[in-house]
Amino acid sequence: MWAAVLAGIVARVDLWWQGRAFWRDELALVQSLDTYPLGKLLGPLSDTQSAPPAWLLLERLVTTALGTGERAYRLIPLLAGCATLVLVALLARRFVRHTWTAAIPVLALATLPQLVFYSAQAKQYTTDMLLVTGMLLLAVGMLRPGVEPSGQPSGGPSRRREIAWYALIAVGPWFSHGFMLAAPLVAAWVGFVQWRRGVRSLAGLAVRLAAPGVSLLLAALWARHLTSLAPDFAAYWLPFMRAGDRGRFLHWNRFLWEDFGIRELGFDRPWALVLFVVPVLGLAAACARRWSRSTAPPLALPLFAAYAFALVSMYPFGRRLVLFCVPGVLVLAGVAVDALVDGVRRLVPSWTAQVVGLAGVVALGLVAWTTPTSLDQNLRYQYGVDDYRVALQFVKSRWKPGDVLVTGNGDRVAFRVYGRRLGLPADRAYRAMRSRDETRRIGCPLPSEITSAGRVWLLTGDRVSIYPEDRSRYTVIAPFLDRYRRVYFADKGHVTIQVLMPGRAATVDPPQTRCLEFAPVGPPGTPARPPALPVD
């Protein structure tokens, strides 16, 4: 088990140490962290980004002390991702009889590409996992009897543990949106069990939960307020929320669970969704054991909370936003294997039970485990491959007075972060936007700010399209081809650089194309679609 923890830590530190360039999602958040003053940082962020306020303050504290490089911005996610591995190991051991079966959730957590990737990215999702896992571990301690100084078991948790529990509920929502969703259900379950056992009265629970409850409510209202100011955020996540009568309920569920299984849990194929039966069996087995009957349900409550909020269209159940559900699900899978071994052991000799358990683990691994080779493949080619840093460094090394730079509208965050750091002139950078008039033609009008330049740089990421059905490298150059010729082309890690000079190429017939509108890139906080520049 601890070897699996170490392997997961090594994988995360290795990815963090590479110092890879910020990718699109990071750039959108880092632009605000780079430039906003402290007060503004706690309000709406640029480009529909959202993050817990206390987490943003922690990021600002670290980068103030260590600088604004990629590794400094990713230090907190790295530490949170590594600490989560340790907590999952401790949590799993609280539910299994056979210690080796606790390695199953740890090994899965150590190698899932999404979890490794976000442990080395300037995003808050590993903090979500850490705090939710810590809450589950603390909840187990609250529900299992403590020990008096005399050595006799006590009826309730120790005072120190109780203080830590209520403090975590009060503080956690300001650091993690995932914690904010899961905490009410987990706290309600702990309180219910304590009341049933006679450890606490309803009045005593109400007094203890008053301050944490108010803090959690305020954090939720503030998060809801900030999200309501970003309509693009809701539009992007709409498929992951059952809004109104959109689609069929069964179809929506299939889409939801396939996405969760493939992206978060690493299933190779949609049919592997049958593996969701494994944690369900683990929950049933844990509830059948008297010593874990009260502590097992909280493992499933984060997943239930995320699904319930998506069902009422309040929080999207999708992608990295629900990574905080994964640790509990994986621990339940380990409990299922542990129960299998325990059941077989009652019927046959011990060594046979171990063989059966290992065979079960191998069967799970054949369809779900991410091998080191596939992990490396995923991290290299599926996650964070848009290298704007190298592309803009190249532009900077060959920049001449009188040049202009045109980026795709979705690529503007790259210039705001790396263009600013490299010293490229902000007043010579423009963004190309989708035109309201999409009629195809030859001879698109262009603004004089661009046509007066001696040379035009085009920098686009094909993963961020201007027109959804076309690659941005073609969309952005086509309106220029009736009066410019391309003299340079390079693909820098899915970010395309093209250089144009005045004068139409004799061998190229300009195609009919949809025109573009142009606007200055502008600083963070500029509208996603500002007024277009006047054209010639």
Side-chain angles (χ1 to χ4, degrees):
M1 181 184 66
W2 294 113
V5 170
L6 181 60
I9 292 175
V10 168
R12 284 154 174 77
V13 172
D14 174 66
L15 184 61
W16 173 79
W17 186 253
Q18 291 174 23
R20 290 162 58 162
F22 293 126
W23 71 300
R24 298 183 309 277
D25 277 10
E26 287 183 291
L27 289 166
L29 183 60
V30 167
Q31 63 173 340
S32 297
L33 285 164
D34 264 357
T35 58
Y36 281 9
L38 198 58
K40 192 175 181 181
L41 193 62
L42 301 181
L45 302 177
S46 181
D47 288 285
T48 67
Q49 290 296 297
S50 178
W55 184 86
L56 292 170
L57 292 178
L58 197 56
E59 281 286 312
R60 174 60 60 84
L61 179 65
V62 170
T63 53
T64 299
L66 302 179
T68 57
E70 286 86 353
R71 293 193 185 102
Y73 266 117
R74 294 164 175 164
L75 182 60
I76 293 172
L78 172 70
L79 296 177
C82 294
T84 301
L85 288 166
V86 177
L87 293 189
V88 167
L90 298 175
L91 183 64
R93 290 194 61 174
R94 304 297 295 269
F95 288 94
V96 299
R97 283 195 173 102
H98 308 277
T99 306
W100 70 269
T101 56
I104 296 169
V106 179
L107 186 61
L109 199 76
T111 56
L112 285 173
Q114 282 267 80
L115 307 186
V116 177
F117 178 71
Y118 281 107
S119 293
Q121 307 303 311
K123 302 292 284 187
Q124 68 271 23
Y125 307 120
T126 54
T127 307
D128 293 343
M129 287 194 300
L130 174 65
L131 290 177
V132 170
T133 307
M135 175 176 62
L136 296 177
L137 188 60
L138 203 51
V140 172
M142 289 288 290
L143 295 173
R144 289 187 178 170
V147 179
E148 299 285 359
S150 62
Q152 298 298 319
S154 65
S158 66
R159 183 171 180 79
R160 181 181 300 176
R161 180 170 290 162
E162 199 168 26
I163 291 173
W165 170 250
Y166 291 111
L168 180 62
I169 296 175
V171 175
W174 297 97
F175 284 89
S176 164
H177 291 154
F179 184 95
M180 181 177 66
L181 298 181
L185 286 180
V186 177
W189 176 262
V190 171
F192 171 74
V193 173
Q194 288 186 328
W195 172 71
R196 285 290 303 271
R197 291 175 176 174
V199 175
R200 294 283 178 261
S201 65
L202 290 178
L205 287 171
V207 170
R208 286 170 170 80
L209 285 170
V214 170
S215 177
L216 194 152
L217 178 61
L218 291 175
L221 291 174
W222 184 246
R224 185 71 173 171
H225 166 68
L226 294 181
T227 303
S228 69
L229 299 177
D232 290 344
F233 179 87
Y236 178 82
W237 291 106
L238 189 62
F240 299 93
M241 296 188 286
R242 190 169 184 261
D245 296 326
R246 180 190 56 81
R248 293 172 297 166
F249 182 68
L250 292 179
H251 174 77
W252 176 74
N253 271 279
R254 179 180 177 181
F255 161 74
L256 214 64
W257 293 106
E258 281 187 359
D259 186 84
F260 181 70
I262 293 172
R263 288 184 177 271
E264 273 64 59
L265 299 179
F267 294 170
D268 286 338
R269 297 289 186 273
W271 60 262
L273 289 177
V274 296
L275 291 178
F276 278 122
V277 174
V278 176
V280 172
L281 294 175
L283 180 62
C287 290
R289 298 169 171 175
R290 168 174 275 183
W291 55 275
S292 61
R293 188 171 298 162
S294 63
T295 55
L299 296 177
L301 289 180
L303 184 65
F304 178 80
Y307 177 78
F309 277 99
L311 197 62
V312 297
S313 301
M314 291 184 65
Y315 185 87
F317 187 99
R319 309 290 166 88
R320 62 267 187 192
L321 293 183
V322 290
L323 287 177
F324 68 91
C325 305
V326 173
V329 172
L330 295 180
V331 170
L332 288 173
V335 173
V337 175
D338 184 74
L340 173 66
V341 174
D342 202 44
V344 174
R345 191 175 185 179
R346 296 176 182 177
L347 304 174
V348 296
S350 175
W351 65 269
T352 307
Q354 303 287 355
V355 170
V356 170
L358 288 172
V361 172
V362 170
L364 291 175
L366 288 175
V367 293
W369 185 52
T370 304
T371 64
T373 301
S374 60
L375 173 63
D376 181 68
Q377 176 82 4
N378 285 334
L379 294 181
R380 286 179 182 273
Y381 300 109
Q382 294 186 24
Y383 298 100
V385 296
D386 296 358
D387 197 341
Y388 290 98
R389 180 180 64 189
V390 169
L392 285 167
Q393 284 174 340
F394 180 83
V395 173
K396 172 63 177 177
S397 68
R398 289 160 175 78
W399 187 267
K400 296 179 180 179
D403 288 0
V404 297
L405 174 68
V406 176
T407 73
N409 194 35
D411 307 304
R412 62 190 182 275
V413 295
F415 184 86
R416 289 174 182 168
V417 174
Y418 283 123
R420 175 175 171 268
R421 295 182 181 196
L422 293 169
L424 287 167
D427 60 342
R428 304 291 290 173
Y430 302 92
R431 45 172 146 160
M433 304 179 295
R434 184 174 179 170
S435 175
R436 292 179 175 86
D437 179 9
E438 298 186 14
T439 304
R440 293 181 180 270
R441 54 178 163 164
I442 298 174
C444 290
L446 300 171
S448 60
E449 287 86 348
I450 295 176
T451 57
S452 62
R455 187 169 57 168
V456 180
W457 293 82
L458 306 179
L459 189 144
T460 53
D462 282 328
R463 300 286 182 102
V464 189
S465 60
I466 299 174
Y467 287 102
E469 62 273 21
D470 294 333
R471 301 181 75 179
S472 289
R473 65 175 66 179
Y474 303 129
T475 303
V476 75
I477 194 175
F480 289 86
L481 293 178
D482 66 314
R483 68 188 86 176
Y484 285 86
R485 67 185 186 277
R486 186 172 72 182
V487 296
Y488 179 81
F489 172 89
D491 187 341
K492 304 286 187 180
H494 291 279
V495 177
T496 302
I497 303 172
Q498 303 177 84
V499 181
L500 305 180
M501 296 290 289
R504 173 181 161 184
T507 57
V508 176
D509 292 328
Q512 285 194 344
T513 185
R514 290 171 293 192
C515 299
L516 299 170
E517 295 180 354
F518 298 88
V521 167
T526 305
R529 188 181 179 89
L533 293 170
V535 295
D536 290 340

PDB file of all heavy atoms in Angstrom, residues 6 13 15 51 76 238 248 296 302 320 341 363 387 396 441 500:
ATOM      1  N   LEU A   6       3.846   5.869  -2.635  1.00  0.00           N
ATOM      2  CA  LEU A   6       5.109   6.436  -3.113  1.00  0.00           C
ATOM      3  C   LEU A   6       5.117   6.557  -4.629  1.00  0.00           C
ATOM      4  O   LEU A   6       5.578   7.565  -5.185  1.00  0.00           O
ATOM      5  CB  LEU A   6       6.273   5.557  -2.641  1.00  0.00           C
ATOM      6  CG  LEU A   6       7.673   6.034  -3.053  1.00  0.00           C
ATOM      7  CD1 LEU A   6       7.968   7.420  -2.492  1.00  0.00           C
ATOM      8  CD2 LEU A   6       8.728   5.036  -2.581  1.00  0.00           C
ATOM      9  N   VAL A  13       5.140  14.376  -8.654  1.00  0.00           N
ATOM     10  CA  VAL A  13       6.305  15.261  -8.559  1.00  0.00           C
ATOM     11  C   VAL A  13       7.031  15.333  -9.904  1.00  0.00           C
ATOM     12  O   VAL A  13       7.513  16.394 -10.315  1.00  0.00           O
ATOM     13  CB  VAL A  13       7.259  14.793  -7.448  1.00  0.00           C
ATOM     14  CG1 VAL A  13       8.556  15.582  -7.472  1.00  0.00           C
ATOM     15  CG2 VAL A  13       6.585  14.927  -6.078  1.00  0.00           C
ATOM     16  N   LEU A  15       5.707  15.059 -12.932  1.00  0.00           N
ATOM     17  CA  LEU A  15       4.966  15.940 -13.835  1.00  0.00           C
ATOM     18  C   LEU A  15       5.113  17.399 -13.414  1.00  0.00           C
ATOM     19  O   LEU A  15       5.258  18.282 -14.264  1.00  0.00           O
ATOM     20  CB  LEU A  15       3.485  15.541 -13.838  1.00  0.00           C
ATOM     21  CG  LEU A  15       2.584  16.300 -14.811  1.00  0.00           C
ATOM     22  CD1 LEU A  15       3.030  16.086 -16.249  1.00  0.00           C
ATOM     23  CD2 LEU A  15       1.129  15.876 -14.639  1.00  0.00           C
ATOM     24  N   ALA A  51     -13.253  29.930  -8.653  1.00  0.00           N
ATOM     25  CA  ALA A  51     -12.431  29.178  -7.704  1.00  0.00           C
ATOM     26  C   ALA A  51     -12.773  29.654  -6.297  1.00  0.00           C
ATOM     27  O   ALA A  51     -13.160  30.816  -6.108  1.00  0.00           O
ATOM     28  CB  ALA A  51     -10.940  29.364  -7.993  1.00  0.00           C
ATOM     29  N   ILE A  76       0.611  24.194  -4.536  1.00  0.00           N
ATOM     30  CA  ILE A  76      -0.502  23.802  -3.673  1.00  0.00           C
ATOM     31  C   ILE A  76      -1.241  22.597  -4.253  1.00  0.00           C
ATOM     32  O   ILE A  76      -1.513  21.627  -3.534  1.00  0.00           O
ATOM     33  CB  ILE A  76      -1.452  24.991  -3.451  1.00  0.00           C
ATOM     34  CG1 ILE A  76      -0.749  26.074  -2.644  1.00  0.00           C
ATOM     35  CG2 ILE A  76      -2.716  24.543  -2.728  1.00  0.00           C
ATOM     36  CD1 ILE A  76      -1.533  27.359  -2.544  1.00  0.00           C
ATOM     37  N   LEU A 238     -23.956  22.992 -19.270  1.00  0.00           N
ATOM     38  CA  LEU A 238     -25.359  22.618 -19.363  1.00  0.00           C
ATOM     39  C   LEU A 238     -25.589  21.125 -19.605  1.00  0.00           C
ATOM     40  O   LEU A 238     -26.494  20.530 -19.007  1.00  0.00           O
ATOM     41  CB  LEU A 238     -26.050  23.440 -20.468  1.00  0.00           C
ATOM     42  CG  LEU A 238     -27.570  23.306 -20.548  1.00  0.00           C
ATOM     43  CD1 LEU A 238     -28.217  23.802 -19.256  1.00  0.00           C
ATOM     44  CD2 LEU A 238     -28.115  24.089 -21.741  1.00  0.00           C
ATOM     45  N   ARG A 248     -33.937  13.144 -22.674  1.00  0.00           N
ATOM     46  CA  ARG A 248     -34.569  12.075 -21.923  1.00  0.00           C
ATOM     47  C   ARG A 248     -33.752  11.771 -20.679  1.00  0.00           C
ATOM     48  O   ARG A 248     -32.535  11.814 -20.690  1.00  0.00           O
ATOM     49  CB  ARG A 248     -34.688  10.829 -22.793  1.00  0.00           C
ATOM     50  CG  ARG A 248     -35.651  10.989 -23.968  1.00  0.00           C
ATOM     51  CD  ARG A 248     -35.569   9.792 -24.888  1.00  0.00           C
ATOM     52  NE  ARG A 248     -34.232   9.680 -25.482  1.00  0.00           N
ATOM     53  CZ  ARG A 248     -33.792   8.594 -26.110  1.00  0.00           C
ATOM     54  NH1 ARG A 248     -34.553   7.534 -26.199  1.00  0.00           N
ATOM     55  NH2 ARG A 248     -32.576   8.571 -26.633  1.00  0.00           N
ATOM     56  N   ALA A 296     -19.605   3.440   6.767  1.00  0.00           N
ATOM     57  CA  ALA A 296     -19.505   3.221   5.326  1.00  0.00           C
ATOM     58  C   ALA A 296     -20.340   4.196   4.500  1.00  0.00           C
ATOM     59  O   ALA A 296     -19.871   4.668   3.451  1.00  0.00           O
ATOM     60  CB  ALA A 296     -19.886   1.783   4.997  1.00  0.00           C
ATOM     61  N   PRO A 302     -20.491  11.912  -0.976  1.00  0.00           N
ATOM     62  CA  PRO A 302     -20.033  12.928  -1.946  1.00  0.00           C
ATOM     63  C   PRO A 302     -20.556  12.676  -3.356  1.00  0.00           C
ATOM     64  O   PRO A 302     -20.979  13.613  -4.043  1.00  0.00           O
ATOM     65  CB  PRO A 302     -18.507  12.820  -1.875  1.00  0.00           C
ATOM     66  CG  PRO A 302     -18.234  12.309  -0.501  1.00  0.00           C
ATOM     67  CD  PRO A 302     -19.354  11.351  -0.212  1.00  0.00           C
ATOM     68  N   ARG A 320     -13.671  17.401 -14.337  1.00  0.00           N
ATOM     69  CA  ARG A 320     -12.851  17.555 -13.130  1.00  0.00           C
ATOM     70  C   ARG A 320     -13.620  18.143 -11.950  1.00  0.00           C
ATOM     71  O   ARG A 320     -13.137  18.105 -10.831  1.00  0.00           O
ATOM     72  CB  ARG A 320     -11.639  18.417 -13.431  1.00  0.00           C
ATOM     73  CG  ARG A 320     -11.961  19.846 -13.877  1.00  0.00           C
ATOM     74  CD  ARG A 320     -12.050  19.980 -15.355  1.00  0.00           C
ATOM     75  NE  ARG A 320     -12.203  21.368 -15.786  1.00  0.00           N
ATOM     76  CZ  ARG A 320     -12.526  21.693 -17.021  1.00  0.00           C
ATOM     77  NH1 ARG A 320     -12.753  20.759 -17.926  1.00  0.00           N
ATOM     78  NH2 ARG A 320     -12.629  22.957 -17.377  1.00  0.00           N
ATOM     79  N   VAL A 341     -12.528 -11.627  -0.483  1.00  0.00           N
ATOM     80  CA  VAL A 341     -11.482 -12.449   0.132  1.00  0.00           C
ATOM     81  C   VAL A 341     -11.973 -13.027   1.453  1.00  0.00           C
ATOM     82  O   VAL A 341     -11.758 -14.209   1.759  1.00  0.00           O
ATOM     83  CB  VAL A 341     -10.203 -11.606   0.335  1.00  0.00           C
ATOM     84  CG1 VAL A 341      -9.161 -12.398   1.116  1.00  0.00           C
ATOM     85  CG2 VAL A 341      -9.637 -11.168  -0.998  1.00  0.00           C
ATOM     86  N   ALA A 363      -8.708  -8.861 -12.714  1.00  0.00           N
ATOM     87  CA  ALA A 363      -9.856  -8.675 -13.598  1.00  0.00           C
ATOM     88  C   ALA A 363     -10.264  -7.210 -13.663  1.00  0.00           C
ATOM     89  O   ALA A 363     -10.576  -6.690 -14.744  1.00  0.00           O
ATOM     90  CB  ALA A 363     -11.026  -9.534 -13.107  1.00  0.00           C
ATOM     91  N   ASP A 387       0.997  24.337 -26.175  1.00  0.00           N
ATOM     92  CA  ASP A 387       2.173  25.007 -25.614  1.00  0.00           C
ATOM     93  C   ASP A 387       2.273  26.433 -26.154  1.00  0.00           C
ATOM     94  O   ASP A 387       3.011  26.718 -27.092  1.00  0.00           O
ATOM     95  CB  ASP A 387       3.435  24.220 -25.942  1.00  0.00           C
ATOM     96  CG  ASP A 387       4.611  24.627 -25.045  1.00  0.00           C
ATOM     97  OD1 ASP A 387       4.543  25.722 -24.452  1.00  0.00           O
ATOM     98  OD2 ASP A 387       5.562  23.856 -24.932  1.00  0.00           O
ATOM     99  N   LYS A 396       8.500  36.345 -29.874  1.00  0.00           N
ATOM    100  CA  LYS A 396       9.308  37.382 -29.230  1.00  0.00           C
ATOM    101  C   LYS A 396      10.720  37.431 -29.803  1.00  0.00           C
ATOM    102  O   LYS A 396      11.282  38.519 -30.018  1.00  0.00           O
ATOM    103  CB  LYS A 396       9.358  37.121 -27.723  1.00  0.00           C
ATOM    104  CG  LYS A 396      10.319  38.005 -26.943  1.00  0.00           C
ATOM    105  CD  LYS A 396       9.936  39.474 -27.022  1.00  0.00           C
ATOM    106  CE  LYS A 396      10.863  40.330 -26.173  1.00  0.00           C
ATOM    107  NZ  LYS A 396      10.545  41.778 -26.281  1.00  0.00           N
ATOM    108  N   ARG A 441     -17.287  34.894 -48.732  1.00  0.00           N
ATOM    109  CA  ARG A 441     -16.943  35.783 -49.839  1.00  0.00           C
ATOM    110  C   ARG A 441     -15.428  35.915 -49.934  1.00  0.00           C
ATOM    111  O   ARG A 441     -14.682  35.442 -49.073  1.00  0.00           O
ATOM    112  CB  ARG A 441     -17.575  37.156 -49.631  1.00  0.00           C
ATOM    113  CG  ARG A 441     -17.237  37.787 -48.292  1.00  0.00           C
ATOM    114  CD  ARG A 441     -17.858  39.154 -48.172  1.00  0.00           C
ATOM    115  NE  ARG A 441     -17.896  39.632 -46.814  1.00  0.00           N
ATOM    116  CZ  ARG A 441     -18.108  40.890 -46.469  1.00  0.00           C
ATOM    117  NH1 ARG A 441     -18.285  41.796 -47.414  1.00  0.00           N
ATOM    118  NH2 ARG A 441     -18.150  41.243 -45.208  1.00  0.00           N
ATOM    119  N   LEU A 500       2.510  36.514 -42.118  1.00  0.00           N
ATOM    120  CA  LEU A 500       2.011  37.047 -43.380  1.00  0.00           C
ATOM    121  C   LEU A 500       2.753  38.313 -43.744  1.00  0.00           C
ATOM    122  O   LEU A 500       3.081  39.136 -42.877  1.00  0.00           O
ATOM    123  CB  LEU A 500       0.511  37.349 -43.278  1.00  0.00           C
ATOM    124  CG  LEU A 500      -0.414  36.213 -42.829  1.00  0.00           C
ATOM    125  CD1 LEU A 500      -1.851  36.699 -42.786  1.00  0.00           C
ATOM    126  CD2 LEU A 500      -0.281  35.010 -43.747  1.00  0.00           C
TER     127      LEU A 500
END
